[in-house]
Amino acid sequence: MTVMHDAPAERAASTAADAQPDARAAAPVTMTMAQALNRALADALAADPSVLVFGEDVGTLGGVFRITDGLTARFGESRCFDTPLAESGIVGTAVGMAMNGMRPVVEMQFDAFAYPAFEQTVDHVAKMGNRTRGAVRLPMVIRIPYAGGIGGVEHHSDSSEAYYVHTPGLTVVSPATPQDAYGMLRAAIAHPDPVVFLEPKKLYWTTGEVDAAAPLPELGRARVAREGGDATLIAYGPSVPVALAAAEAAAEEGRELGVIDLRSLSPFDDETVCAAVRATGRAVVIAEAPGFAGVAAEVAARVSERCFHHLLAPVRRVTGFDTPFAPPKLEKFYLPDVDRVLDAVDALQWEDA
């Protein structure tokens, strides 16, 4: 096989420039996260002929969650097409395409469906750049709808982010708003190296204003979702609305909680997170995944190491339980909620304040 690729620096610069939104684009509009992701894919396909979208049922059907709705009709079956039920083959094919000048965006349909492709992802996708000393880059995106909140069974509701974050060579991100869904997906497609793009399924139908002409966010940077001086809530993806709701409830009781939306799990934005925690002295990390050896544990460890002399109480975690995901009728008891977050905040040794 002949490997064709541009010089990495030139390619990254040109593609990033191509991905920047047109300043003449229409005014911001309100849309769901699903619509924002669809718009991002359509704009990327229109802007760059090397972008391809493929996966199980993403073509005519438009995907299980309709994220790719209308793309085949607009761009043709050579740009957005269905694949067999073979996740390892989907990712392996994407690797070959990315090595040869294309920018594949593949969908895994559900979180746990991505496991058959795990060997391809960690052994080839994550390692190709290092294996070739940067001579071969893989500009590809693996889209994975993940986490609970939709009443799905356990193999449709996994929070599998820790597996990918633990693997050097992968950029792992998760949006929590329609605006970030649009901007971060465009940025991920333009990125010169592989990105695992985790989409919170239960947020697909949430709405927000999307400005397609706004500058693309920098992957690897968190955002301050709410200012607050008493304690800092740190969340990502599906847990961000829970953190914001808890902060709103706490405000009614006279306690001001700040909220940090991590957005990027790897690389991790220590600067933004630690600045917020040092200012408040107290922190709670919120995540749907089981707590043991998860992303929330890593965040708590990083904050404890870097902010130790500023902390007024141990860092708390509010996570899913260390069990398989609950049946649909019981998932509300499994997932972090406002009451559990506020209980953790109450335990932050306020008597010493």
Side-chain angles (χ1 to χ4, degrees):
M1 178 178 66
T2 301
V3 178
M4 299 177 293
H5 55 86
D6 302 323
E10 295 175 0
R11 182 175 190 176
S14 63
T15 310
D18 292 341
Q20 287 298 326
D22 188 343
R24 298 167 297 176
V29 296
T30 298
M31 60 179 69
T32 66
M33 180 179 284
Q35 291 170 329
L37 292 166
N38 179 272
R39 170 72 181 274
L41 291 170
D43 288 354
L45 285 163
D48 185 351
S50 70
V51 174
L52 301 171
V53 176
F54 56 97
E56 298 161 1
D57 296 322
V58 305
T60 304
L61 179 66
V64 170
F65 298 101
R66 302 300 185 266
I67 306 301
T68 55
D69 189 37
L71 297 183
T72 298
R74 178 177 173 184
F75 296 99
E77 293 183 352
S78 64
R79 302 287 305 285
C80 179
F81 54 90
D82 293 329
T83 66
L85 284 159
E87 290 82 6
S88 181
I90 293 170
V91 174
T93 299
V95 169
M97 288 180 167
M99 290 175 67
N100 284 275
M102 308 305 290
R103 288 185 172 267
V105 181
V106 300
E107 180 183 302
M108 292 288 99
Q109 197 170 83
F110 282 100
D111 30 59
F113 289 10
Y115 296 152
F118 193 67
E119 187 275 335
Q120 289 280 4
T121 303
V122 301
D123 274 348
H124 303 291
V125 175
K127 294 181 172 64
M128 187 63 69
N130 184 70
R131 182 179 297 138
T132 62
R133 297 186 180 183
V136 179
R137 311 282 285 273
L138 296 183
M140 57 182 286
V141 179
I142 302 175
R143 292 181 43 243
I144 304 177
Y146 84 118
I150 65 167
V153 294
E154 67 270 21
H155 53 285
H156 291 71
S157 301
D158 267 12
S159 292
S160 48
E161 58 267 32
Y163 304 134
Y164 303 106
V165 172
H166 187 69
T167 304
L170 297 176
T171 293
V172 184
V173 300
S174 181
T177 67
Q179 179 66 54
D180 272 350
Y182 176 86
M184 290 169 62
L185 185 53
R186 291 295 308 275
I189 294 171
H191 198 59
D193 294 306
V195 178
V196 175
F197 197 90
L198 300 170
E199 301 171 5
K201 295 192 292 290
K202 74 177 182 182
L203 300 187
Y204 275 150
W205 301 277
T206 58
T207 60
E209 193 172 81
V210 175
D211 183 0
L216 300 182
E218 178 186 352
L219 299 183
R221 300 295 293 181
R223 72 180 180 98
V224 179
R226 181 185 176 111
E227 299 280 359
D230 292 330
T232 302
L233 306 181
I234 305 167
Y236 59 90
S239 296
V240 172
V242 177
L244 289 169
E248 198 68 36
E252 296 177 2
E253 302 173 357
R255 187 171 285 165
E256 294 300 323
L257 306 181
V259 177
I260 300 296
D261 174 4
L262 293 178
R263 301 202 294 185
S264 175
L265 304 182
S266 180
F268 189 83
D269 186 358
D270 289 298
E271 180 181 354
T272 300
V273 173
C274 291
V277 175
R278 287 169 184 151
T280 63
R282 294 177 171 88
V284 175
V285 186
I286 310 164
E288 283 193 12
F292 185 79
V295 171
E298 173 63 21
V299 175
R302 298 180 80 87
V303 169
S304 297
E305 290 171 354
R306 291 161 175 78
C307 305
F308 182 79
H309 293 291
H310 295 80
L311 290 174
L312 302 173
V315 178
R316 297 278 180 171
R317 288 177 288 159
V318 178
T319 68
F321 299 112
D322 295 328
T323 66
F325 195 83
K329 291 184 179 181
L330 299 177
E331 73 171 352
K332 66 180 181 180
F333 301 108
Y334 177 91
L335 298 174
D337 60 15
V338 169
D339 287 340
R340 288 177 61 194
V341 174
L342 293 179
D343 286 345
V345 172
D346 287 342
L348 292 175
Q349 298 182 4
W350 296 97
E351 64 276 7
D352 297 331

